Amino acid sequence: MTTESWARLSSDAFNLALFAYVAAMVASFAYLAFRRERLHTVATVIGVVGLVANGVSIVTRGIAAGRTPWGNMYEYS
């Protein structure tokens, strides 16, 4: 894969993580409001998907940059 492909995969994984975290938050709020165990399970699964996507984003960004992704403050923030 090219550097651009790794960077694109990193960006896509980051976007997936961001939206998964927001969806997990909404599902968690719904669980707190309605106390349905199914909502808790859904929120947990979506949160884990977000965590995995976040990890993939960090690793692929490191591969694209050729170093650790927190090498400068611009990438870290």
Side-chain angles (χ1 to χ4, degrees), residues 5-43:
S5 297
W6 285 112
R8 179 65 185 182
L9 180 59
S10 174
S11 178
D12 291 344
F14 178 80
N15 289 333
L16 175 63
L18 179 69
F19 290 117
Y21 289 148
V22 171
M25 179 186 66
V26 170
S28 293
F29 288 162
Y31 167 71
L32 290 173
F34 302 113
R35 296 292 180 187
R36 304 274 190 255
E37 195 60 35
R38 182 92 169 139
L39 288 171
H40 177 56
T41 304
V42 167

